[in-house]
Amino acid sequence: MFKKVMSLALASTLVLSAGAFAASAAEAEDAVAANDESAVAADDSSAVAAGDESQVGAGTKIYFDVKSAGWKNFSKIYCHVWRADGTGKWPSWQTKKEVCKKESDDLYSYDITKTGNAEEIQNAGSKNLYCVIFSADTQVQIYNTIMNGNCIGDTVYVTGNKIENPKDSSKTDTEAAWKNHPECGPQKVITSTSKVVGTALADGTTDVTLLADYLLDYVSDDGTADTSKTDKTQDLINQLKISPLAVMSNVNFKLEGFVKEETMTQDVANKKKATIEGILGKCTDPTKGGEKVNQDEINNAEAKNDADESNGGSSSNGGSSSNDSSSNGSSSGSNSVQSGQETTIFFVFAGVMVAAAGVFFLVRRREN
């Protein structure tokens, strides 16, 4: 009789223990689910906050006032963003990643997360590192417009002015600007017809570097100058109000860089240098009241980067570090929950085994 009672007790213990085990596992599973739901809710909340269009200067969107452009009969508006220095990976012209969202009949938005470089842009702050072009599928577009990180949340509008296309003088582009960031207007460049257009300089460029690049572009590798371009050098110096000596110093700096990077031989650099020295040696200096430059000073100009002060380091690495920290924090939180589940399950299972062993010991002792 006692044997039957103890067998029943053993069975009951196992059933109750199994129930406790299942309940504990269910509780742990609920904890995981609750944790996941909290994470999802937090992500949703962040997404809503980031996409809140009422927060000018916040979020990840920039806007285009299409009404100011007067464009008609289009079906899509695109936004092309790139680094002004041509570096990095960015979406191609008018691809799916550049399609804008219609906010109203007059306003379109573009989420810079589509570029894959949102964090970099946000961390740029007041540095004018980027260019943006809004365009339509009807082959109309605005002129290159400088953008910095503070432009997020702001709106680009068309001014009504026309700008000569820098590469193709037979075309004109529509000038555009930002409603709240006048420092980020149309990009300042020298066109193929030797005209200065635009007002906003990208970081890393100055009026001096613009003319240095111009001269390097229009003096060939054998040192032959395209006089239809280089004969405009004095006019450009006067218009930009810069020193010929400063231009030569920057030319020397760029040439040294090309040779060091092995994108140009020393022989080619020497030929370009000699020709440009001859061009600038004939100029006058508007920064010194129109005084003629000293040829010896031009020939012995020290290599200097006029854009040094504009080439501040990017803060994108700091941003990446911050994000990595947040990611690791979330991961640790998830691990701690799972570690608690495993501990609970272990002790429940151990309790079941001890109870079963005790009952079995009593049954065996009774039999003896």
Side-chain angles (χ1 to χ4, degrees):
M1 179 66 180
F2 180 77
K3 183 176 180 180
K4 290 182 179 180
V5 170
M6 294 309 292
S7 296
L8 181 59
L10 175 59
S12 299
T13 300
L14 290 172
V15 170
L16 290 172
S17 299
F21 180 86
S24 178
E27 182 181 350
E29 186 175 349
D30 288 342
V32 174
N35 185 67
D36 290 344
E37 287 173 6
S38 297
V40 171
D43 287 344
D44 289 345
S45 175
S46 299
V48 171
D52 186 353
E53 294 151 17
S54 67
Q55 298 181 27
V56 176
T60 55
K61 289 184 179 181
I62 56 176
Y63 299 86
F64 179 58
D65 181 355
V66 72
K67 183 179 180 181
S68 67
W71 296 345
K72 304 291 183 182
N73 303 318
F74 60 84
S75 58
K76 288 182 180 179
I77 296 294
Y78 298 90
C79 181
H80 186 61
V81 179
W82 73 100
R83 228 177 190 271
D85 64 4
T87 60
K89 293 183 179 179
W90 302 84
S92 300
W93 178 260
Q94 291 194 347
T95 50
K96 186 177 181 180
K97 287 186 177 180
E98 296 196 337
V99 176
C100 296
K101 177 184 176 183
K102 183 177 181 180
E103 302 291 344
S104 68
D105 288 340
D106 301 335
L107 192 68
Y108 279 74
S109 68
Y110 180 69
D111 192 332
I112 61 169
T113 59
K114 291 182 178 181
T115 67
N117 299 288
E119 182 183 358
E120 176 190 320
I121 298 172
Q122 290 171 317
N123 289 336
S126 61
K127 295 177 182 178
N128 294 348
L129 297 174
Y130 310 94
C131 289
V132 59
I133 292 177
F134 283 95
S135 65
D137 54 1
T138 53
Q139 306 305 311
V140 290
Q141 67 180 67
I142 65 171
Y143 175 71
N144 300 6
T145 305
I146 293 294
M147 181 178 78
N148 62 35
N150 295 335
C151 291
I152 298 172
D154 201 358
T155 301
V156 172
Y157 70 97
V158 169
T159 65
N161 298 327
K162 295 291 185 180
I163 290 182
E164 178 184 313
N165 185 290
K167 300 298 182 183
D168 187 350
S169 60
S170 67
K171 297 179 181 179
T172 57
D173 295 331
T174 303
E175 182 187 76
W178 296 89
K179 288 188 175 180
N180 300 302
H181 292 85
E183 78 280 10
C184 293
Q187 184 181 20
K188 190 173 187 178
V189 297
I190 300 175
T191 70
S192 58
T193 58
S194 310
K195 295 176 183 176
V196 178
V197 299
T199 58
L201 286 163
D203 269 35
T205 63
T206 67
D207 289 340
V208 168
T209 68
L210 290 183
L211 187 54
D213 287 334
Y214 176 86
L215 291 171
L216 287 167
D217 284 344
Y218 292 113
V219 173
S220 66
D221 288 354
D222 64 0
T224 303
D226 180 349
T227 55
S228 67
K229 310 295 184 184
T230 59
D231 284 353
K232 307 287 180 63
T233 300
Q234 183 67 68
D235 291 339
L236 289 168
I237 285 173
N238 293 340
Q239 188 174 347
L240 295 170
K241 297 180 175 60
I242 55 178
S243 162
L245 183 59
V247 175
M248 194 65 233
S249 290
N250 196 243
V251 167
N252 288 339
F253 173 81
K254 291 177 181 291
L255 288 172
E256 285 185 3
F258 295 149
V259 172
K260 185 176 181 180
E261 295 165 3
E262 298 184 348
T263 56
M264 182 181 292
T265 66
Q266 187 64 60
D267 181 57
V268 169
N270 291 340
K271 289 177 180 178
K272 280 181 174 280
K273 173 181 166 68
T275 300
I276 295 173
E277 285 174 345
I279 294 168
L280 292 172
K282 297 175 182 177
C283 295
T284 58
D285 189 344
T287 68
K288 295 183 178 180
E291 177 184 311
K292 190 174 187 314
V293 301
N294 184 307
Q295 184 68 61
D296 288 338
E297 288 184 351
I298 293 292
N299 293 347
N300 296 292
E302 181 183 354
K304 291 182 181 178
N305 182 15
D306 192 72
D308 271 341
E309 294 182 2
S310 301
N311 288 337
S314 171
S315 59
S316 60
N317 289 338
S320 297
S321 177
S322 173
N323 273 356
D324 290 344
S325 176
S326 299
S327 175
N328 290 339
S330 299
S331 177
S332 297
S334 175
N335 287 340
S336 67
V337 171
Q338 293 199 12
S339 177
Q341 294 163 17
E342 291 164 1
T343 302
T344 301
I345 292 170
F346 172 78
F347 281 114
V348 170
F349 183 71
V352 171
M353 296 303 294
V354 170
V359 173
F360 180 76
F361 174 76
L362 290 173
V363 171
R364 294 288 296 171
R365 184 175 182 183
R366 179 64 178 172
E367 287 177 348
N368 294 335

